[in-house]
C-alpha cells in the first residue's frame, strides 16, 4: 500500500497526487467525475489506485491544454463508460474546431489585406453609394449599424447617414467576413479591435499572437493524443 509509482501496483491518493502536483482532494474529485476509473477500497474504506489510474490522470492532464477542461473531461468519461468510439469522436471534434479557427484566421487576414491597398476616401459617402459599391441593399448596412458594426454619423440638417473613411473601412471588412460565412456576433469583436486601434496596421501583433496560440494548441493536441493512446493501450481489452 505504501509503494510508489515506480515499484508497486497499489497507490495511495497521496502517491497519485504528488506525482502530478495535485492535491489528494483533486484526485478524489477526478475519480468522482469519471475522469479516473473507480478506485478499489480496502476493508477499512481507503481508496487504492493502480498504475492504470496514473495513466488515466496523465492522459487527462495532457488533454486539457489542447482540448480544454470540458472536452478533456468528456473524453475520459466516455472511455470509462466503455464508449471509446464516442471519446475518439470528441477528439475529432476538437481537431475540427481547431481547423475551423485556422480558417477564420485566414479569412480575417484576407479581409485585412483587401483593405490595405484601398485608396483614401475622398470625402464622405452616403448609404446608397456605399451599398452599391458593396453590392448590398441599404437595409443591410442599416442592419450592420444596429449591430454596432458600422457607426455612420448623421447629417444635422438632413438626418442622412454619412459614412466617413473609417466607416467605409469597417463596412468593407464586415462585407469580406460575411462573405466568408461569419455571423455578425463573430465579427463584432474584430471590428471593435480595428476601431480601437485606429486602423488595421496595429492588428498585426494580434494576428501573430493568434497564429502562435493556434500552433500551441495544435502541439498540445499532439501531446494529448500520445498520452491518450498510451492510456488506451494500458487498459485491459474489453
Amino acid at each position: 500500500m505504501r509503494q510508489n509509482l515506480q515499484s508497486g501496483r497499489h497507490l495511495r491518493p497521496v502517491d497519485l497526487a504528488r506525482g502530478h502536483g495535485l492535491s489528494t482532494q483533486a484526485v478524489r474529485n477526478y475519480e468522482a467525475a469519471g475522469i479516473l476509473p473507480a478506485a478499489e477500497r480496502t476493508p477499512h474504506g481507503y481508496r487504492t489506485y493502480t498504475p492504470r489510474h496514473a495513466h488515466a490522470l496523465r492522459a487527462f492532464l495532457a488533454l486539457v491544454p489542447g482540448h480544454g477542461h470540458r472536452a478533456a473531461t468528456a473524453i475520459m468519461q466516455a472511455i470509462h463508460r466503455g464508449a471509446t468510439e464516442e471519446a475518439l469522436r470528441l477528439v475529432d471534434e476538437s481537431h475540427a474546431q481547431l481547423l475551423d479557427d485556422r480558417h477564420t484566421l485566414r479569412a480575417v487576414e484576407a479581409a485585412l489585406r483587401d483593405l490595405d491597398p484601398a485608396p483614401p476616401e475622398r470625402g464622405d459617402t452616403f448609404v446608397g453609394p456605399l451599398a452599391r459599391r458593396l453590392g448590398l441593399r441599404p437595409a443591410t448596412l442599416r442592419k450592420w449599424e444596429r449591430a454596432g458594426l458600422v457607426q455612420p454619423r448623421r447629417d444635422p440638417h438632413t438626418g442622412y447617414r454619412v459614412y466617413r473613411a473609417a466607416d467605409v473601412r469597417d463596412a468593407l471588412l464586415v462585407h469580406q467576413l460575411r462573405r466568408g460565412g461569419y455571423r455578425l456576433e463573430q465579427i463584432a469583436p474584430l471590428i471593435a479591435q480595428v476601431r480601437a486601434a485606429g486602423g488595421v496596421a496595429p492588428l498585426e501583433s494580434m494576428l501573430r499572437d493568434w497564429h502562435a496560440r493556434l500552433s500551441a494548441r495544435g502541439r498540445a493536441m499532439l501531446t494529448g493524443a500520445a498520452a491518450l493512446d498510451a492510456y488506451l493501450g494500458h487498459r485491459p481489452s474489453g
Side-chain angles (χ1 to χ4, degrees):
M1 290 292 295
R2 294 183 181 276
Q3 293 166 314
N4 61 26
L5 289 174
Q6 287 74 31
S7 62
R9 293 184 56 80
H10 297 290
L11 309 170
R12 300 167 303 169
V14 67
D15 297 322
L16 205 58
R18 286 174 179 169
H20 298 85
L22 301 171
S23 67
T24 54
Q25 186 58 51
V27 172
R28 296 187 190 99
N29 291 343
Y30 288 157
E31 180 192 347
I35 292 169
L36 304 181
E40 294 183 359
R41 298 283 186 136
T42 69
H44 298 289
Y46 295 113
R47 291 176 174 85
T48 62
Y49 295 112
T50 68
R52 178 188 174 197
H53 294 87
H55 277 283
L57 184 55
R58 191 175 301 117
F60 171 71
L61 295 177
L63 287 168
V64 169
H67 298 266
H69 193 280
R70 183 175 179 178
T73 297
I75 291 166
M76 298 304 293
Q77 289 172 335
I79 289 172
H80 294 140
R81 65 173 181 266
T84 302
E85 290 298 319
E86 171 69 10
L88 296 177
R89 183 188 65 79
L90 292 170
V91 171
D92 292 342
E93 285 185 354
S94 285
H95 283 279
Q97 182 61 60
L98 177 61
L99 181 60
D100 186 60
D101 290 346
R102 291 190 187 280
H103 288 161
T104 300
L105 174 55
R106 289 173 185 167
V108 169
E109 289 178 320
L112 293 176
R113 282 196 301 270
D114 289 342
L115 291 179
D116 285 341
E121 294 296 317
R122 296 180 179 177
D124 299 328
T125 189
F126 299 96
V127 64
L130 181 56
R132 287 192 294 272
R133 174 177 172 180
L134 299 177
L136 302 170
R137 294 179 302 156
T140 300
L141 287 173
R142 289 192 284 270
K143 180 179 179 180
W144 293 355
E145 181 183 351
R146 289 194 297 273
L149 302 179
V150 291
Q151 298 177 337
R153 64 179 178 87
R154 294 288 188 135
D155 185 285
H157 302 293
T158 64
Y160 293 157
R161 293 172 173 84
V162 180
Y163 293 83
R164 296 157 295 185
D167 301 317
V168 173
R169 175 204 64 206
D170 292 348
L172 288 168
L173 181 54
V174 174
H175 185 47
Q176 289 289 342
L177 294 174
R178 288 292 288 159
R179 289 176 61 185
Y182 299 100
R183 301 187 301 274
L184 296 184
E185 58 267 27
Q186 293 174 303
I187 298 171
L190 176 67
I191 296 298
Q193 287 181 307
V194 170
R195 196 174 288 141
V200 300
L203 295 181
E204 291 179 0
S205 62
M206 180 270 289
L207 295 175
R208 287 195 298 270
D209 178 66
W210 194 347
H211 272 290
R213 286 187 285 109
L214 291 181
S215 295
R217 204 163 115 211
R219 291 288 299 272
M221 284 184 174
L222 293 178
T223 301
L228 182 62
D229 182 64
Y231 177 55
L232 292 173
H234 181 82
R235 294 175 68 241
S237 61

